Amino acid sequence: MAEGDNNSVYQLAAETASLEEQLQGWGEVILMTDKVLRWERAWFPLALMSVVSFSFLMIYYLDPSVLSGVSCLVMFLCLADYLVPALAPRIFGSNKWTTEQQQRFHEICSNLVKSRRRIVGWWKRIFTLKEEKPKMYFMTMLFSLAVVAWIGQQVHNLFLTYLIVSFLLLFPGLNQHGIITKYVGMAKREINKLLKHKEKKNE
């Protein structure tokens, strides 16, 4: 293995260990959330969507201003940050972790670090594109933002947010149960059929 690869692996391990230490107080909550998001029980998707739907219905009913909504969200996060590490050990008994739970917690933290690295990598690629191919960068950005603006005009903001949040929360379960792979494979097969059919017509 090259020295660069060794450094990368070491850095990943160090970042994962640091994140594990930071999230230790949230360990049991993270493991429970992971089980729900991966649909370990058949009723988890229904419960998840019920909570999300109820939350958005309450937002729609109360219709808070942007400032009130942001303030309430930050206040909720502050309360969770204070209460969860204090109450979680009493509720879940975090001192009785099994080897399997510890391993899963390590995997989750490692995946979070890798996801953060991917996002940073994409961000750097955007700036690299801006420096190397400024015309392509601006055309791509203008087109992408125009499409997003058009979608925002066609769909209600709250409903659009609801769809995005629902998809993000359902994605781990869909991926875990192979549903995404199944439909992506079906789409690829259909596209290949269309391409082959078009080639035959051209011949």
Side-chain angles (χ1 to χ4, degrees):
M1 188 181 285
E3 186 178 346
D5 293 336
N6 280 329
N7 289 337
S8 179
V9 171
Y10 176 77
Q11 195 174 14
L12 176 63
E15 288 179 26
T16 302
S18 176
L19 186 61
E20 282 183 41
E21 188 177 348
Q22 292 172 25
L23 297 178
Q24 196 63 45
W26 287 75
E28 283 290 348
V29 176
I30 290 171
L31 288 175
M32 181 56 67
T33 304
D34 176 63
K35 289 179 181 179
V36 174
L37 292 178
R38 290 191 298 117
W39 306 355
E40 286 202 356
R41 295 189 182 180
W43 55 271
F44 279 169
L46 180 61
L48 184 64
M49 288 309 302
S50 298
V51 171
V52 173
S53 300
F54 177 77
S55 301
F56 274 87
L57 281 172
M58 288 301 296
I59 294 170
Y60 178 76
Y61 175 74
L62 296 172
D63 193 22
S65 65
V66 174
L67 187 60
S68 298
V70 171
S71 298
C72 289
L73 177 62
V74 174
M75 183 170 59
F76 173 78
L77 292 174
C78 288
L79 282 170
D81 187 49
Y82 176 74
L83 293 174
V84 169
L87 297 178
R90 299 178 185 179
I91 297 171
F92 297 105
S94 298
N95 58 331
K96 298 178 182 178
W97 273 26
T98 62
T99 306
E100 186 181 349
Q101 286 175 314
Q102 188 63 50
Q103 180 62 30
R104 183 58 195 161
F105 181 65
H106 175 76
E107 288 173 6
I108 293 168
C109 290
S110 179
N111 288 335
L112 288 173
V113 170
K114 289 174 183 175
S115 298
R116 183 173 63 190
R117 284 185 164 197
R118 287 192 196 102
I119 292 169
V120 172
W122 292 336
W123 189 255
K124 287 180 179 178
R125 285 191 197 102
I126 290 172
F127 280 95
T128 302
L129 181 65
K130 182 183 177 182
E131 292 173 2
E132 295 178 355
K133 300 178 180 178
K135 289 182 180 178
M136 182 183 289
Y137 165 78
F138 283 111
M139 290 298 292
T140 304
M141 291 299 291
L142 287 173
F143 177 75
S144 302
L145 292 172
V147 170
V148 172
W150 180 81
I151 293 172
Q153 282 294 108
Q154 303 304 313
V155 186
H156 190 279
N157 288 337
L158 188 61
F159 182 64
L160 185 60
T161 307
Y162 170 74
L163 292 177
I164 293 169
V165 171
S166 298
F167 175 75
L168 290 175
L169 292 176
L170 290 174
F171 181 81
L174 292 169
N175 190 47
Q176 177 73 18
H177 290 268
I179 298 171
I180 290 176
T181 306
K182 176 185 174 183
Y183 284 100
V184 168
M186 287 172 62
K188 284 181 178 178
R189 284 194 294 272
E190 291 301 320
I191 291 169
N192 289 333
K193 284 180 184 177
L194 289 171
L195 291 173
K196 287 178 181 178
H197 185 66
K198 190 175 180 180
E199 286 175 3
K200 286 180 181 178
K201 276 188 174 182
N202 292 334
E203 290 174 0

